[in-house]
């Protein structure tokens, strides 16, 4: 199986605080790798480093065999190959749903507006949001907003998706519509890297789960192994706490 | 349908076509609300007439009223000098338009400079910070005097001595410092994740500014910028100190000839005719902008 993303020995520090250390993993095509770990363990920083929103301090990141962490890599070109969705404040509040989706295709990819609009409407229709095309984001529920954010990243035909805790700012009742969209994309063969707190969801979509603890990957493996019979005390401890929080 | 209409006739307010009809209960409520509103309007009118009326009577019957009205409200004289004042006000309007548009462009440029992180722009960033601190801290009248009288005193070759031009430049220098700060604060209030979202979509730095950051920033600072516009219109009157014949200067000339202050009052009224509607408009814009932000907070 060919690898889309390869991360080797990546390190990232903010000043003297080391946030990521010796991070290595691979994401084969059509698979999903899920990062779990407590808040502050470095999940967001890792995704931001991969998308070149942060500069790494050591290591190599390659996308389809090309080193994107190279100094001469074209940052804007690289970012178009990733579809990134954040926890919150994703959409541009001054633009309609349709304008949110077509902005980057028109300006970053140079697609004709008519074509960008047609493609956007097609995506919206596919995910049941066509009637929201002319609405502003503040008229949408949180779940609809996150779905539009995912669609917006799909409009760039990304090589893979980077999803950073896309449901943690949502009401529990809205989480499912977003997760089911991600599941659909997974079954369509989209390659993805996710950070999530939803262990049930991780079990469903992940091909591999990595447990991030204080900036290091402590344990990794198939979801049924790592989530059901973790080996390390840190992993057990984290999963127990997530479980308890879920029961509250 | 499980809903008790509270209607004494026992007829449901929903007819079979699903058309809603207000119940008799609701109709009664509306009638009594309307009555209450009418009563409130009558009370407001009465109390205003009594309070403001007695205030007017106190002023008009006071011993100094006669000389006061002769000195400030000699309407016949006021009407006589009005054309000159309006002609002078044309200068204020032109000055406002020229200064206003220059300030908008320069202020935006300096705000962008100060918020940019490009290393090549570091010297400009330092210079613009010094400039903004300096000119926000000096009374504008001093800047007008320094530029308007100071520059001609240098007797520089090819530099204008036209006081109108120099006065306009002084106003632009001062207001650009204010407006740059207002716009910069607007840029800083746009959440950093908006930039991250735009950049992660592959938009360049300038595309992000142009399509994502600036539209949100400018919309947020529209009310304070409109306030600055009102202040600018009034402050154009300060260039009269250089001898520019604007509305203030025109009033001063008429007034000093007759030792009557009615021309000043006329000039004030001319300014108010422009500034009051603009102030109302600013208020409405501010209210809308707050409503919009509240709506976003609820989303
Ligand atoms: N821009 C930054 N400057 C300094 N420290 C940061 C910055 N971003 C993140 N950090 C720190 O990096 C650590 C990991 O944060 P983050 O990647 O957001 O974790 P997670 O997403 O797993 O909650 C935290 O200790 C956080 O304080
Ligand atoms: Mg995070």
């Amino acid at each position: 199986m060919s690898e889309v993303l390869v991360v080797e020995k990546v390190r990232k520090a903010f000043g003297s605080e080391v946030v990521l250390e010796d991070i290595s993993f691979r994401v084969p095509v059509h698979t999903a790798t899920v990062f779990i770990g407590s808040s502050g363990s470095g999940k967001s920083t890792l995704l931001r480093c991969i998308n070149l929103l942060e500069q790494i301090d050591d290591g190599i990141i390659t996308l389809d065999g090309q080193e994107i962490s190279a100094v001469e890599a074209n940052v804007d070109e690289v970012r178009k190959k990733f579809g990134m969705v954040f926890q919150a404040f994703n959409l541009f509040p001054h633009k309609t749903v349709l304008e949110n989706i077509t902005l980057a295709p028109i300006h970053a990819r140079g697609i004709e507006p008519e074509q960008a609009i047609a493609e956007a409407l097609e995506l919206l229709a596919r995910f049941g949001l066509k009637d929201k095309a002319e609405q502003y984001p503040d008229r949408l529920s949180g779940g609809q907003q996150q779905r539009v954010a995912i669609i917006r990243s799909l409009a760039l035909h990304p090589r893979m998706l980077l999803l950073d805790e896309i449901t943690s700012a949502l009401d529990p009742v809205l989480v499912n519509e977003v997760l089911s969209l991600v599941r659909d994309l997974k079954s369509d063969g989209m390659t993805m890297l996710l950070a999530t707190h939803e262990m049930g969801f991780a079990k469903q979509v992940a091909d591999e789960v990595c447990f991030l603890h204080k900036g290091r990957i402590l344990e990794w493996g198939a979801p049924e192994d790592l989530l059901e019979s973790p080996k390390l005390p840190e992993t057990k401890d984290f999963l127990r706490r997530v479980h308890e929080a879920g029961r509250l | 349908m499980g809903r008790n209409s509270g209607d004494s006739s026992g007829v449901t307010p929903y007819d079979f076509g699903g058309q809603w009809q207000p119940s008799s209960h609701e109709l009664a409520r509306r009638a009594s609300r309307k009555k209450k509103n009418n009563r409130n309007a009558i009370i407001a009118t009465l109390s205003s007439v009594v309070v403001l009326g007695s205030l007017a009577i106190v002023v008009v019957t006071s011993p100094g009223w006669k000389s006061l009205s002769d000195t400030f409200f000699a309407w016949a004289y006021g009407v006589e000098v009005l054309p000159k004042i309006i002609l002078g006000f044309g200068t204020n309007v032109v000055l406002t338009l020229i200064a206003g548009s220059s300030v908008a462009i320069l202020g935006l440029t300096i705000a962008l400079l100060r918020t940019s992180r490009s290393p090549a722009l570091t010297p400009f960033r330092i210079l613009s910070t010094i400039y903004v601190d300096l000119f926000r801290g000096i009374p504008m009248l001093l800047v007008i005097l320094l530029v308007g009288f100071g520059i001609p005193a240098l007797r520089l070759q090819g530099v204008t001595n036209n006081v109108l031009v120099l006065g306009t430049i002084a106003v632009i220098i001062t207001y650009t410092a204010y407006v740059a700060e207002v716009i910069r604060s607007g840029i800083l209030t746009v959440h950093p994740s908006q930039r991250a979202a735009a950049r992660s979509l592959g938009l360049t730095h300038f595309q992000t500014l142009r399509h994502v950051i600036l539209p949100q920033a400018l919309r947020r600072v529209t009310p304070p910028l409109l306030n600055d516009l009102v202040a600018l219109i009034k402050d154009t009157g300060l260039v009269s100190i250089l001898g520019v014949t604007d509305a203030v200067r025109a009033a001063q000339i008429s007034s000093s000839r007759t030792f009557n202050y009615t021309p000043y009052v006329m000039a004030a009224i001319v300014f108010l005719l422009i500034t009051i509607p603009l102030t109302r408009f600013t208020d409405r814009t501010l209210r809308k902008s707050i409503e919009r932000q509240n709506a976003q907070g609820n989303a």
Side-chain angles (χ1 to χ4, degrees):
Chain A
M1 234 189 308
S2 69
E3 255 102 35
V4 176
L5 182 76
V6 179
V7 173
E8 280 177 274
K9 294 189 176 306
V10 160
R11 176 193 156 91
K12 170 72 188 171
F14 289 109
S16 60
E17 189 197 354
V18 179
V19 176
L20 295 173
E21 177 118 66
D22 198 19
I23 301 285
S24 301
F25 63 94
R26 306 166 164 250
V27 185
V29 69
H30 306 318
T31 70
T33 298
V34 171
F35 274 79
I36 59 171
S38 44
S39 170
S41 58
K43 305 180 296 296
S44 298
T45 306
L46 175 62
L47 294 180
R48 292 170 62 88
C49 285
I50 292 169
N51 203 13
L52 308 185
L53 287 169
E54 304 282 356
Q55 199 182 325
I56 57 175
D57 296 320
D58 202 354
I60 297 175
I61 304 174
T62 58
L63 179 69
D64 287 323
Q66 289 214 319
E67 188 191 339
I68 58 173
S69 51
V71 180
E72 59 279 1
N74 181 334
V75 175
D76 295 322
E77 286 306 313
V78 169
R79 287 189 186 135
K80 282 180 230 171
K81 297 186 184 162
F82 291 110
M84 181 146 183
V85 182
F86 303 83
Q87 182 172 331
F89 303 115
N90 257 307
L91 298 177
F92 306 132
H94 61 297
K95 295 197 174 288
T96 64
V97 164
L98 191 60
E99 290 165 348
N100 261 278
I101 299 173
T102 55
L103 181 67
I106 293 172
H107 294 284
R109 276 182 70 215
I111 289 179
E112 288 301 316
E114 299 77 40
Q115 194 196 336
I117 289 170
E119 281 183 26
L121 289 175
E122 199 174 306
L123 279 169
L124 283 169
R126 199 172 119 207
F127 297 108
L129 287 167
K130 191 161 189 178
D131 56 326
K132 307 291 181 206
E134 300 301 333
Q135 304 254 298
Y136 284 88
D138 61 7
R139 301 265 121 202
L140 270 52
S141 74
Q144 291 168 336
Q145 289 186 30
Q146 272 312 46
R147 282 153 65 203
V148 170
I150 297 171
I151 292 172
R152 183 177 67 181
S153 70
L154 291 175
L156 285 168
H157 304 295
R159 188 69 175 108
M160 72 182 290
L161 290 184
L162 307 173
L163 309 179
D164 188 3
E165 294 195 32
I166 53 173
T167 58
S168 37
L170 295 183
D171 267 339
V173 291
L174 300 174
V175 167
N176 233 346
E177 63 183 67
V178 177
L179 295 186
S180 109
L181 168 51
V182 177
R183 273 193 297 268
D184 288 351
L185 294 176
K186 175 72 199 321
S187 35
D188 287 353
M190 178 60 81
T191 311
M192 47 181 95
L193 181 62
L194 308 90
T196 187
H197 274 136
E198 305 278 340
M199 296 306 147
F201 170 66
K203 215 173 287 182
Q204 290 166 0
V205 298
D207 295 281
E208 178 166 59
V209 179
C210 297
F211 172 57
L212 199 61
H213 183 72
K214 296 186 177 158
R216 286 174 179 272
I217 299 179
L218 281 197
E219 195 172 348
W220 65 95
E224 52 279 12
D225 297 336
L226 188 128
L227 297 176
E228 272 150 33
S229 41
K231 296 195 181 59
L232 297 177
E234 287 90 347
T235 323
K236 286 178 189 159
D237 191 47
F238 169 72
L239 289 172
R240 205 194 61 239
R241 275 188 290 122
V242 171
H243 196 62
E244 279 167 2
R247 266 204 311 234
L248 284 181
Chain B
M1 317 186 73
R3 181 192 286 263
N4 186 347
S5 68
D7 193 1
S8 53
S9 68
V11 176
T12 157
Y14 298 87
D15 74 14
F16 290 110
Q19 278 283 321
W20 172 74
Q21 298 286 332
S23 65
S24 60
H25 193 83
E26 170 64 17
L27 288 175
R29 204 150 49 199
R30 287 182 195 177
S32 85
R33 237 181 246 141
K34 195 170 169 202
K35 218 161 87 190
K36 205 163 139 199
N37 282 348
N38 287 344
R39 205 175 52 224
N40 285 348
I42 293 171
I43 293 174
T45 314
L46 275 179
S47 102
S48 305
V49 167
V50 169
V51 171
L52 300 180
S54 31
L55 202 64
I57 291 171
V58 167
V59 170
V60 173
T61 57
S62 71
W65 173 247
K66 177 78 175 74
S67 75
L68 189 78
S69 72
D70 283 350
T71 319
F72 289 95
F73 306 113
W75 297 123
Y77 183 47
V79 169
E80 186 193 321
V81 297
L82 189 58
K84 278 186 204 150
I85 291 173
I86 289 178
L87 202 65
F89 191 68
T91 306
N92 298 89
V93 171
V94 170
L95 216 156
T96 301
L97 293 178
I98 293 175
S101 42
S102 316
V103 165
I105 294 167
L106 294 172
L108 180 62
T109 310
I110 288 179
L112 288 177
L113 264 177
R114 288 199 69 189
T115 49
S116 83
R117 272 169 260 160
S118 150
L121 297 175
T122 304
F124 298 102
R125 208 152 44 230
I126 294 172
L127 284 176
S128 46
T129 306
I130 294 174
Y131 159 73
V132 166
D133 284 355
L134 213 61
F135 285 93
R136 281 202 311 162
I138 305 176
M140 190 163 88
L141 188 55
L142 274 181
V143 181
I144 292 175
L145 292 172
L146 280 169
V147 174
F149 291 136
I151 288 185
L154 294 175
R155 297 175 195 287
L156 294 171
Q157 279 286 308
V159 173
T160 181
N161 284 348
N162 182 322
V163 281
L164 181 57
V165 174
L166 292 173
T168 310
I169 290 173
V171 172
I172 291 172
I173 290 176
T174 306
Y175 265 81
T176 297
Y178 285 112
V179 165
E181 272 313 275
V182 172
I183 297 178
R184 186 173 79 104
S185 72
I187 293 174
L188 293 180
T189 59
V190 178
H191 199 277
S193 61
Q194 287 284 306
R195 181 186 299 271
R199 296 310 298 272
S200 74
L201 288 168
L203 294 173
T204 64
H205 173 72
F206 282 105
Q207 287 169 338
T208 301
L209 267 182
R210 156 92 176 72
H211 298 290
V212 176
I213 309 291
L214 278 182
Q216 296 185 58
L218 292 179
R219 194 176 290 188
R220 261 173 234 186
V221 297
T222 302
L225 286 181
L226 284 171
N227 266 330
D228 280 349
L229 179 61
V230 174
L232 172 65
I233 295 173
K234 293 183 294 169
D235 280 352
T236 56
L238 286 173
V239 300
S240 61
I241 194 101
L242 299 177
V244 174
T245 21
D246 74 326
V248 175
R249 181 93 182 114
Q252 197 179 18
I253 293 169
S254 306
S255 164
S256 59
R257 257 196 298 119
T258 56
F259 301 103
N260 185 293
Y261 294 96
T262 306
Y264 285 130
V265 174
M266 297 310 283
I269 291 171
V270 171
F271 272 97
L272 284 173
L273 285 178
I274 301 287
T275 52
I276 285 184
L278 202 54
T279 313
R280 293 289 106 230
F281 177 69
T282 307
D283 265 12
R284 224 183 54 207
T285 316
L286 179 64
R287 231 185 359 260
K288 274 194 193 153
S289 140
I290 289 171
E291 274 165 21
R292 196 164 44 221
Q293 270 166 32
N294 288 345
Q296 273 171 23
N298 292 337

